[in-house]
Amino acid sequence: MLIDRCLPSFDVSHVCEASVEAPQDETYAAIRETDLRDPVVNALFALRELPLRIARLARGQQSPPAPPKVAFGDIAHHVPGWLSLGEEPGVELVVGSVGRFWRRDYGGRPVTVEEFIPFNEPGYAKVALSLAVRPTDAGTMVRYEARTATTDEAARRKFRRYWRLIRPGVALVMRRALRRIKAAAERRAAVPA
């Protein structure tokens, strides 16, 4: 898998899969185009970002507007701090970010695609998200994997504490994203050509 080249070793990983009754090409198109936000996902992110919003308000700053749509095909272009790590068209898409995610401001550290894999500056974590599809007898299996690697022991300790807190929310967001992708792909497949 492409994610194996982008983040071959990692501290934590979470994987969700869903069976989709649609061809692989329709499912992959849904991965790239489906808006992943819904009321529950929006509420979870609002809760996560509440301390940052309060800090901005205290400084008299406004929060930046939310992007009109959040789809995996657009994350690298519309969500600050994320970059496209690679794509095998029709098979897998991988995006990533570097930061101190346990901090209220996420502690983002801009890097280029070329810098991501060898990045090892102490005190950071690297995240890679992969969405991949493969054909099955019933249609397509879509796999969503999130991996995080830390760059030193201090970051590892901080991230593991943070991970214990956010893991249930991450799992919920991933499952909901797969449900939305599945529904979109199956709708697309049901439309006559």
Side-chain angles (χ1 to χ4, degrees):
M1 292 183 67
L2 187 55
I3 194 171
D4 294 328
R5 292 194 298 264
C6 297
L7 199 58
S9 59
F10 46 91
D11 297 297
V12 298
S13 174
H14 192 80
V15 176
C16 292
E17 292 185 329
S19 179
V20 181
E21 293 178 14
Q24 183 172 335
D25 61 334
E26 295 289 354
T27 304
Y28 194 79
I31 285 171
R32 290 193 56 75
E33 299 167 9
T34 301
D35 189 351
L36 303 173
R37 294 177 310 163
D38 66 22
V40 172
V41 170
N42 290 345
L44 286 171
F45 278 100
L47 181 63
R48 164 57 178 92
E49 294 179 359
L50 186 60
L52 183 56
R53 287 182 184 194
I54 291 170
R56 282 186 181 135
L57 284 173
R59 292 189 304 262
Q61 299 173 334
Q62 289 188 352
S63 293
K69 175 181 167 186
V70 177
F72 274 99
D74 299 331
I75 284 178
H77 305 291
H78 299 295
V79 181
W82 287 89
L83 64 152
S84 176
L85 295 177
E87 181 174 12
E88 188 176 336
V91 178
E92 185 180 11
L93 173 66
V94 181
V95 296
S97 184
V98 174
R100 293 176 172 141
F101 305 107
W102 50 90
R103 290 181 29 182
R104 72 174 173 217
D105 66 355
Y106 298 99
R109 170 69 160 73
V111 297
T112 65
V113 173
E114 296 77 25
E115 293 169 330
F116 183 86
I117 292 171
F119 182 85
N120 65 358
E121 187 177 319
Y124 286 92
K126 301 189 290 187
V127 173
L129 304 178
S130 163
L131 276 140
V133 293
R134 70 177 190 280
T136 65
D137 292 339
T140 304
M141 181 63 67
V142 61
R143 175 187 171 97
Y144 184 173
E145 182 172 3
R147 292 181 180 177
T148 304
T150 54
T151 56
D152 65 2
E153 191 55 41
R156 189 169 297 112
R157 282 191 307 272
K158 290 174 184 176
F159 182 78
R160 286 191 184 273
R161 282 193 302 266
Y162 176 66
W163 181 244
R164 280 193 295 274
L165 179 66
I166 68 159
R167 184 174 184 215
V170 168
L172 180 62
V173 167
M174 290 172 71
R175 286 191 308 270
R176 292 185 74 85
L178 285 182
R179 277 191 224 131
R180 292 180 70 80
I181 291 166
K182 173 182 170 67
E186 290 174 350
R187 276 193 309 275
R188 291 170 67 102
V191 174

